[in-house]
Amino acid sequence: VTLVNVGRFSPEKGQMMLLQAVQRLLPAWPNLHLVFAGVGPLESALRAFVDAAGMADHVEFRGYVKDMPTLYADCDLLVQSSFTEGLPNVILEAAYLRLPIVATAVGGTAEVVRQGETACLIKPSLEDLVAGIESFLRDPGAFAAMAEAGHRDIVRDFSFQVRTQKIMNLYQELAGGAAC
């Protein structure tokens, strides 16, 4: 089972907490594998934790990844472990590509996916992260159904055309309704 985390390696992204969650899960789920896609200032600390915990066979650092659709296709679950977010493009991408999601309910994440309907949204804590991942491991079929629903929502609400129209509507409203 392959988990993926995509983002800059920095404290607010919660990757150290994710490593701790995987460490807790490995005794019961020894086939667990975590792929990190990204770079950043916390990378050496993350690598040191992996080495010290003896998790090198379970954690892979891919660095900057250009071909995200292929990466997502090779993974079973996107895990977003952030303590803060804006509107997370990673969640938009994963949902569009029908990848099941466990994500912290921070920032704009809950505007993109819905708890129990299109993703598993959790509080940004170690216990909740472990529980969210374990929920997927115990019932991947339920997560596949949520991923399918998430794809439909993204196409409906966040396609390029829909987002462009929303921006145009906002500009027209701010301009007093005048059309260009």
Side-chain angles (χ1 to χ4, degrees):
V1 176
T2 303
L3 315 177
V4 63
N5 177 273
V6 179
R8 184 173 181 271
F9 298 140
S10 58
E12 71 275 4
K13 295 296 185 179
Q15 287 114 340
M16 188 64 75
M17 180 175 67
L18 176 55
L19 283 174
Q20 293 166 342
V22 169
Q23 183 182 33
R24 283 196 187 177
L25 290 164
L26 278 172
W29 305 93
N31 64 337
L32 204 54
H33 186 75
L34 171 62
V35 173
F36 281 117
V39 295
L42 199 59
E43 184 171 350
S44 62
L46 296 171
R47 286 180 180 273
F49 181 92
V50 167
D51 290 341
M55 294 171 35
D57 291 341
H58 297 278
V59 180
E60 180 182 351
F61 292 86
R62 295 254 181 111
Y64 177 78
V65 175
K66 290 182 182 181
D67 185 2
M68 292 306 295
T70 299
L71 173 67
Y72 288 136
D74 291 340
C75 297
D76 302 298
L77 178 70
L78 174 81
V79 182
Q80 179 230 47
S81 51
S82 298
F83 296 108
T84 183
E85 278 293 337
L87 182 67
N89 283 324
V90 169
I91 300 294
L92 290 168
E93 292 170 352
Y96 179 77
L97 294 170
R98 297 176 174 93
L99 183 63
I101 298 167
V102 169
T104 51
V106 297
T109 302
E111 294 175 30
V112 177
V113 291
R114 295 183 320 277
Q115 163 55 21
E117 295 178 36
T118 60
C120 175
L121 294 177
I122 58 169
K123 294 177 186 172
S125 73
L126 178 57
E127 293 74 22
D128 287 350
L129 188 55
V130 168
I133 296 168
E134 196 163 40
S135 178
F136 167 78
L137 294 169
R138 290 177 189 229
D139 192 2
F143 278 74
M146 286 191 286
E148 193 60 43
H151 170 80
R152 287 191 301 270
D153 282 5
I154 296 304
V155 169
R156 183 190 66 229
D157 299 332
F158 291 96
S159 70
F160 179 75
Q161 293 158 324
V162 169
R163 291 168 76 180
T164 301
Q165 188 58 55
K166 286 180 181 179
I167 291 170
M168 291 299 298
N169 292 346
L170 177 62
Y171 285 156
Q172 286 179 345
E173 181 182 320
L174 291 173
C180 297

